Amino acid sequence: MTQHTLRADFLVAGGGMAGLCAALAAARNGATVVLVQDRSVLGGNASSEVKMHIVGADVHGGRPGRRESGIIEELKLEDAARNAHRSYSQWDLLLYEKVKAEPNITLLLDADLYAAETMVDGAGRPVIRSARVVRHLMEEEWHISATFFADCTGDGRLGAEAGADFHIGRESRDDYGESLAQPVADRQTLGSSILFTGRKYDTPQPFRAPDWVRKFGAADFKHRPIHSYEYGYWWFEWGGQLDSIKDNEAIRHELLRIALGVWDYVKNSGEHPDAACWALDWVGSVPAKRESRRFLGPHVLTQADVQGGTVFADQVAYGGWAIDLHPPSGVDVPDEPPFTPFHVASLYSIPLRCYHSRNVANLFFAGRNISATHVAFASTRVMATCALGGQAIGTAAALWRHATDRDISNLSTPTAVAELQDALLRGDAFLLDRAGRDATDLAPTAEVSATSAAPGGEPGKVTDGVTRDLRADFGSWSSDIGHAWESAALPATLRFEFASPVSVGEVHLTFDSGFSRELVLTPSDYVSGKTIRGPQPETVQHYRLRCDDEVVVDESGNYLRKRIHRIDSKPSVRVVELEVLRTHGLPVARVFEVRIYP
């Protein structure tokens, strides 16, 4: 094999939503990144190989306003605007495009990380020096060194090779005082699923099942109803009673037997005559795995943290999905419900201490393998929450890449964590009860006015550091529509006037993108029907930035929530104006935040 060496600030193992967001966040904050993915596409369970939709704290739109912002929102908005026809291949290409657009990222696809080399620091803690990666398709091996490493592989291969502490299975109730835990600990996990999509034709489509599929009867579906045929079914679950890593091949075969067996029941039992013209369009070959290793950090997130809505001083992400527990044996226990959700009353924060190893000094992790009990993990495991963790650790790795000490526990002082939190908020992340604070932002020093303002939508709110309203009611500047909806208040202008001239080198804008709705790519017609597949109507489409009456930005095709404009000339000005000319449908301007940097 051809040998290669590579050096970076940050190595990210795993190209699912957590690893992808970690790599993008680190690169955009100045770090050099190597992203290692063992598949040909990015996205993990959200990719075309699996086709699982990305859910999060808004619980499929059932809790309006809780939708995740930041990088994951950027990706969803891009996809909705450019992929109205819901092509998963186009989604794959969007993720690929985003990574390849970052000059700081070296992407290694079809690459298996198989070893980690460590040393011991002065405090006696292991420090990862490098990782070994092989790409058999290209007959090459990579020896990659980095300052920080992130395990976003789901199964935790990098951390396991480095000797990081981890846990597999379900804790007992006494281990962490969790009422939802098992009476006695075991090594069982949530199972895996293989999904399929169906397509309706004009004529009947027969289905002849292979002789090796499972046979199902009506009694198997009393807790697992079949409502539609275009996308099925997340409850094709099995394998949690086995080792989800070592037994993955056996699990995949059984899941194929289950998937085809259920479709055989749909087509040939006589119980679903309306499925006569439906045929299988695609069957997954990669199991959608829910659980395997969970690493142990300085803090282990518990049921009490999740249900209590805990706000940690070192919070870097949040969750809100229910504690979603499944029977490990899945369809083997048809008398048990396929899931038992325990909804959380409010959002909860996730501390940085859940995103790095307690014993390997420079190892971050994000995704379903973070430091959480089985019960807490049942909420944190969903992909939008995983993406937030990825953005958090990528930002942290970039901020601390020049530190001489690689020990994350030592680096994460209260001052450093506060700087990290402000960087996350600047990157459109959200933290509970935490407004953005940035001493270099000039906008709060200006006198802010607007051509009009709706009641409660005062222009000064765009500098208060709050970029969303969890009630899903719009909470920042909104131009006034007057007494009738038809009397649209556009164009409308925000004006920032400074007492003396300031140099303007960069302007950040945060618009409304409709957090009152779910936004997701999904094969499910029902779920997709609750979304808008296109630019979101609240979002500003055409706007101009003026510096002392000179137009420096004229953007007419925006569909994103967060925009950053760099002004190379860095003019010295007294007045900066944002003029909103048009949205994608709403007749008012809605702007959450404006930041102005020298």
Side-chain angles (χ1 to χ4, degrees):
M1 282 195 178
T2 305
Q3 301 292 316
H4 301 278
T5 59
L6 195 57
R7 165 73 196 176
D9 296 319
F10 192 37
L11 183 148
V12 180
M17 298 315 299
L20 179 79
C21 291
L24 290 173
R28 291 174 179 182
N29 281 280
T32 55
V33 182
V34 178
L35 175 58
V36 178
Q37 166 71 331
D38 64 351
R39 313 293 303 175
S40 298
V41 296
L42 298 163
N45 279 351
S47 75
S48 62
E49 293 187 311
V50 177
K51 296 187 179 180
M52 184 60 202
H53 40 224
I54 298 172
V55 296
D58 70 339
V59 193
H60 264 316
R63 305 187 72 187
R66 273 73 171 174
R67 197 169 87 208
E68 292 76 9
S69 55
I71 293 174
I72 187 62
E73 172 74 354
E74 172 192 334
L75 298 174
K76 287 183 174 185
L77 289 170
E78 286 268 10
D79 177 67
R82 296 166 54 181
N83 185 22
H85 53 295
R86 295 189 283 163
S87 165
Y88 265 82
S89 291
Q90 190 156 318
W91 167 251
D92 289 345
L93 290 171
L94 170 63
L95 302 184
Y96 181 78
E97 172 190 319
K98 286 289 185 179
V99 170
K100 296 297 284 186
E102 296 295 337
N104 279 350
I105 299 179
T106 299
L107 174 63
L108 301 180
L109 293 174
D110 298 305
D112 293 298
L113 188 151
Y114 71 91
E117 299 173 349
T118 63
M119 59 177 286
V120 177
D121 66 11
R125 301 187 69 191
V127 178
I128 305 175
R129 297 179 59 187
S130 62
R132 292 195 174 272
V133 173
V134 63
R135 296 210 286 185
H136 290 290
L137 291 176
M138 299 176 67
E139 299 180 354
E140 63 181 14
E141 185 175 22
W142 293 77
H143 184 237
I144 307 168
S145 59
T147 303
F148 294 106
F149 294 76
D151 192 323
C152 303
T153 62
D155 282 344
R157 179 66 186 272
L158 169 59
E161 293 292 337
D165 294 337
F166 65 85
H167 183 80
I168 294 179
R170 302 183 292 185
E171 296 87 354
S172 74
R173 290 174 187 168
D174 292 339
D175 285 341
Y176 292 92
E178 296 178 307
S179 62
L180 299 180
Q182 299 295 303
V184 178
D186 60 36
R187 286 184 61 83
Q188 296 194 68
T189 63
L190 300 189
S192 302
S193 297
I194 274 182
L195 301 171
F196 67 66
T197 59
R199 181 178 176 186
K200 191 175 184 180
Y201 292 83
D202 294 332
T203 58
Q205 303 293 311
F207 176 72
R208 180 178 176 180
D211 58 9
W212 48 270
V213 307
R214 278 206 189 193
K215 297 299 180 181
F216 291 95
D220 294 308
F221 303 109
K222 61 183 178 181
H223 293 297
R224 294 165 171 80
I226 297 170
H227 294 304
S228 64
Y229 311 122
E230 82 282 359
Y231 182 47
Y233 299 103
W234 64 263
W235 47 256
F236 286 175
E237 188 171 3
W238 190 84
Q241 70 276 39
L242 304 180
D243 186 323
S244 61
I245 298 174
K246 305 297 184 183
D247 297 322
N248 192 57
E249 181 62 30
I251 291 170
R252 174 170 59 184
H253 180 69
E254 194 63 22
L255 288 173
L256 286 171
R257 293 184 66 226
I258 292 166
L260 295 177
V262 173
W263 189 248
D264 183 35
Y265 174 82
V266 167
K267 294 290 293 182
N268 299 318
S269 68
E271 296 295 324
H272 295 273
D274 58 336
C277 293
W278 285 83
L280 285 178
D281 186 56
W282 166 87
V283 179
S285 59
V286 178
K289 192 180 294 188
R290 290 179 174 85
E291 183 180 9
S292 50
R293 293 185 180 97
R294 301 191 311 279
F295 290 114
L296 297 173
H299 181 78
V300 178
L301 201 74
T302 67
Q303 176 186 339
D305 296 330
V306 171
Q307 291 186 325
T310 305
V311 179
F312 293 95
D314 62 335
Q315 62 167 320
V316 292
Y318 73 92
W321 187 257
I323 294 175
D324 187 7
L325 297 168
H326 298 197
S329 299
V331 297
D332 278 357
V333 286
D335 291 331
E336 295 184 30
F339 75 116
T340 305
F342 298 88
H343 293 284
V344 297
S346 61
L347 298 180
Y348 59 88
S349 69
I350 307 174
L352 179 62
R353 288 166 294 151
C354 290
Y355 290 108
H356 67 92
S357 175
R358 70 183 186 185
N359 69 302
V360 177
N362 61 338
L363 176 63
F364 289 102
F365 31 75
R368 59 181 172 84
N369 60 12
I370 68 169
S371 181
T373 65
H374 172 80
V375 170
F377 144 90
S379 172
T380 64
R381 64 186 175 82
V382 292
M383 284 186 280
T385 306
C386 293
L388 298 184
Q391 183 170 349
I393 65 168
T395 304
L399 292 182
W400 301 339
R401 67 189 186 276
H402 298 307
T404 55
D405 187 348
R406 296 189 187 184
D407 192 324
I408 299 166
S409 294
N410 294 339
L411 292 170
S412 50
T413 63
T415 298
V417 168
E419 292 173 350
L420 169 60
Q421 290 170 334
D422 284 325
L424 288 170
L425 293 168
R426 188 165 56 249
D428 196 33
F430 171 72
L431 300 174
L432 301 182
D433 302 328
R434 174 69 156 79
R437 299 188 295 267
D438 192 337
T440 61
D441 177 14
L442 301 173
T445 69
E447 181 180 342
V448 187
S449 60
T451 51
S452 67
E458 294 79 12
K461 287 186 174 181
V462 299
T463 63
D464 66 5
V466 179
T467 58
R468 58 189 297 167
D469 186 337
L470 293 179
R471 297 188 303 267
D473 298 323
F474 187 77
S476 197
W477 174 63
S478 176
S479 58
D480 193 358
I481 62 173
H483 297 292
W485 181 257
E486 293 78 10
S487 58
L490 292 178
T493 301
L494 268 175
R495 177 184 172 91
F496 298 81
E497 184 171 356
F498 296 93
S500 57
V502 297
S503 175
V504 177
E506 189 170 289
V507 179
H508 291 217
L509 306 172
T510 303
F511 300 119
D512 185 14
S513 55
F515 278 12
S516 59
R517 293 180 306 279
E518 185 174 16
L519 180 63
V520 65
L521 171 65
T522 175
S524 168
D525 292 340
Y526 170 73
V527 174
S528 190
K530 299 186 294 179
T531 72
I532 293 176
R533 296 301 301 171
Q536 304 305 293
E538 298 88 349
T539 306
V540 171
Q541 178 185 11
H542 187 189
Y543 61 90
R544 297 188 182 114
L545 280 173
R546 291 190 180 88
C547 289
D548 280 351
D549 292 326
E550 179 185 354
V551 176
V552 294
V553 174
D554 189 341
E555 173 61 63
S556 60
N558 178 61
Y559 45 75
L560 296 176
R561 168 180 153 88
K562 173 82 179 192
R563 293 299 305 268
I564 299 175
H565 294 286
R566 293 177 175 86
I567 304 169
D568 293 336
S569 62
K570 295 187 176 182
S572 180
V573 301
R574 286 281 304 275
V575 175
V576 175
E577 291 180 316
L578 169 64
E579 181 186 19
V580 176
L581 292 94
R582 186 170 62 252
T583 72
H584 285 281
L586 207 67
V588 296
R590 289 183 169 181
V591 181
F592 270 112
E593 183 175 70
V594 176
R595 295 185 181 214
I596 301 172
Y597 294 99

